[in-house]
Amino acid sequence: MARPRQFDEQEAVAQATDLFWRRGYNATSVRDLGAELHLTPSSLYRTFEDKHTLFLRALDHYRATESAQARERLATAGRPVRDGLRDWLLWLVGCTAGAEPGPGCLVVNTATELGTTDTEVSARTEAAFEVTRRALRSLLDEGRRNGELRAELDLDAAVEMLFTTVLGLRVRERAGHDPRRLATAIDFAVRALGPAPAEPA
């Protein structure tokens, strides 16, 4: 039997993304997906082949939306680099005013759940991580070039420190840790970039 005309495959992927995000890959069954997407198991398999294929599409959807949004927010747009970095980190883990505790990051959640056991999933998580690393490096390089950060700052080491901080923050967000403690860690990470270069006398 043909799918109902009102079926929107992209919307179904978005709904599946939200479900995987909330529950994780292993805890989400085909029955759960069918209930969320209002599809019978046969319709779900006919459209998406299997749960794994749908999960890969969900990861791609997440990377195209949430990860892109995070990258855009990291662009300082004329603000001081340290302020832009701090605001971005606070936004990532819901430490901004009025924000509700979030489910963490689907990419980080997936990496911690599945590790490197699934090569297709691992390739997607690593690609998303590399986008974050590049964005951080671009921001720090900008700060070094415009004199906000020390010229001798080790960009590679700073990027890895901040990237590790991001992953830890997102795991702690998922665990429901106090946002004030996360904000304290963020402030320390920003200070670890060192003082601003002294103005010439």
Side-chain angles (χ1 to χ4, degrees), residues 1-72:
M1 185 172 66
R3 289 196 300 270
R5 182 172 298 178
Q6 67 269 22
F7 177 83
D8 185 325
E9 192 169 317
Q10 291 305 314
E11 177 61 25
V13 171
Q15 291 175 321
T17 302
D18 288 340
L19 185 61
F20 283 126
W21 196 357
R22 295 194 309 269
R23 303 190 61 174
Y25 178 73
N26 289 318
T28 302
S29 67
V30 171
R31 180 174 294 180
D32 295 330
L33 288 164
E36 185 80 7
L37 276 53
H38 305 293
L39 291 174
T40 64
S42 60
S43 294
L44 192 147
Y45 283 121
R46 187 164 58 246
T47 304
F48 300 110
E49 296 183 23
D50 55 27
K51 170 183 158 180
H52 184 262
T53 300
L54 178 52
F55 184 63
L56 294 179
R57 290 191 58 178
L59 281 175
D60 291 339
H61 172 77
Y62 181 88
R63 288 173 54 207
T65 52
E66 300 292 328
S67 296
Q69 184 183 12
R71 184 178 64 249
E72 289 168 6

Side-chain angles (χ1 to χ4, degrees), residues 88-96 102 166 169-170 173 179 182 186:
W88 178 72
L89 290 169
L90 290 171
W91 170 79
L92 273 185
V93 291
C95 292
T96 52
V166 167
L169 288 168
R170 304 220 71 165
E173 177 198 13
L182 303 187
I186 287 169

Side-chain angles (χ1 to χ4, degrees), residues 22 35 56 68 75 114 181 185 187 189 195:
R22 295 194 309 269
L56 294 179
L114 301 179
R181 292 191 173 190
D187 287 336

Side-chain angles (χ1 to χ4, degrees), residues 128-178:
F129 290 156
E130 187 56 32
V131 168
T132 301
R133 284 193 185 94
R134 287 199 301 266
L136 285 168
R137 186 180 183 87
S138 177
L139 179 68
L140 297 182
D141 187 48
E142 175 190 340
R144 208 169 58 168
R145 284 186 285 104
N146 66 22
E148 293 182 59
L149 300 174
R150 294 172 293 113
E152 63 271 23
L153 177 69
D154 185 334
L155 281 185
D156 291 335
V159 166
E160 289 306 315
M161 181 272 291
L162 289 171
F163 177 66
T164 301
T165 299
V166 167
L167 298 193
L169 288 168
R170 304 220 71 165
V171 171
R172 294 188 64 183
E173 177 198 13
R174 174 80 169 182
H177 289 188
D178 186 343

